[in-house]
């Protein structure tokens, strides 16, 4: 596949690092939106799909390039899916990752059901008004720990225990996580769609 320049519509440096290498393997020359000075637009959608499309269309409009955007979050069963769409601002609009983890630990302190899943939606737009975007979804099921474990990763990784590896996401090496994460699954689905439309 010929190298295609695409803008990666995220300001989350963790996501940029995690996605850029994989997308390069798909034949994309990835340019983070921060290199264009683009701020992430207000996410007014009611689903991960809607928010990913908002971000991708905004980045494509400003740069004139095809765009890829990811919207993802943590869905906790005992909290009826929270923090969900609001994962990055669970503890408030200006919340840090540490603030969000602290709030999650607090609200989960009396919960026996620790089941949770990471969800990722990745969209690819050929141009701003593309009416048929590629949409790929990925999920990874695990449990919420009662305390943080591990120093790798970002977001809620240190609280997300992944039974098949018997470790938290933050205890996994980067390459290990890249192979099994919700984002990896969504990226693999995107790759299948792109291959099918060569």
């Amino acid at each position: 596949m010929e190298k295609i320049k695409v803008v990666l519509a995220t300001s989350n440096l963790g996501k940029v690092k995690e996605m850029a290498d994989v997308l390069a393997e798909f034949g994309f020359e990835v340019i983070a939106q921060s290199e264009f000075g683009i701020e992430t637009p207000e996410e007014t959608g009611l689903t991960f799909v809607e928010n990913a499309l908002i971000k991708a269309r905004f980045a494509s409009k400003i740069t004139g390039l095809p765009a890829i955007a990811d919207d993802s979050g943590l869905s906790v069963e005992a909290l009826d899916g929270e923090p969900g769409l609001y994962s990055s601002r669970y503890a408030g609009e200006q919340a840090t990752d540490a603030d969000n983890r602290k709030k999650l630990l607090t609200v989960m302190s009396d919960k026996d059901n620790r089941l949770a899943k990471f969800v990722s939606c990745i969209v690819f737009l050929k141009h701003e008004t593309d009416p048929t975007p590629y949409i790929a979804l990925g999920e990874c099921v695990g449990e919420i720990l009662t305390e943080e474990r591990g120093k790798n990763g970002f977001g809620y990784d240190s609280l997300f225990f992944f039974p098949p590896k018997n470790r938290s996401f933050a205890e996994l090496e980067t390459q290990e996580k890249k192979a099994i994460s919700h984002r990896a699954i969504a990226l693999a689905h995107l790759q299948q769609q792109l291959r099918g439309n060569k």
Side-chain angles (χ1 to χ4, degrees), residues 87-114:
S87 293
S88 65
R89 50 191 188 278
Y90 190 41
E93 287 298 326
Q94 305 303 317
T96 63
D97 285 351
D99 294 333
N100 291 329
R101 290 193 298 269
K102 184 177 179 180
K103 177 175 179 178
L104 182 61
L105 282 173
T106 299
V107 298
M108 287 295 290
S109 62
D110 62 344
K111 301 288 191 287
D112 293 326
N113 180 0
R114 314 293 293 188

Side-chain angles (χ1 to χ4, degrees), residues 3 5 11 13 30 39 49 111 145 175 183 191:
K3 287 281 184 184
K5 280 190 177 181
S11 298
L13 296 179
V30 176
E39 294 290 328
V49 174
K111 301 288 191 287
L145 293 163
Q175 291 302 318
R183 204 165 285 114
Q191 185 180 35

Side-chain angles (χ1 to χ4, degrees), residues 18 21 40 66 90 96 108 137 151 154 159 185-186 191 195:
E18 195 170 296
D21 290 346
T40 299
Y90 190 41
T96 63
M108 287 295 290
L137 299 171
K151 299 295 183 183
F154 59 97
L159 291 178
I185 293 167
Q191 185 180 35
R195 280 179 176 161

Side-chain angles (χ1 to χ4, degrees), residues 120-133:
S120 172
C121 172
I122 297 176
V123 301
F124 171 64
L125 298 175
K126 294 182 280 298
H127 51 80
E128 178 201 350
T129 57
D130 187 350
T132 56

Side-chain angles (χ1 to χ4, degrees), residues 43-57:
E43 298 175 24
T44 56
L46 299 177
T47 65
F48 291 120
V49 174
E50 289 173 357
N51 281 339
L53 286 169
I54 287 169
K55 290 186 278 192
R57 291 197 193 282

Side-chain angles (χ1 to χ4, degrees), residues 6-18:
V6 296
V7 58
L8 184 55
T10 181
S11 298
N12 184 316
L13 296 179
K15 286 185 183 181
V16 171
K17 185 177 179 183
E18 195 170 296

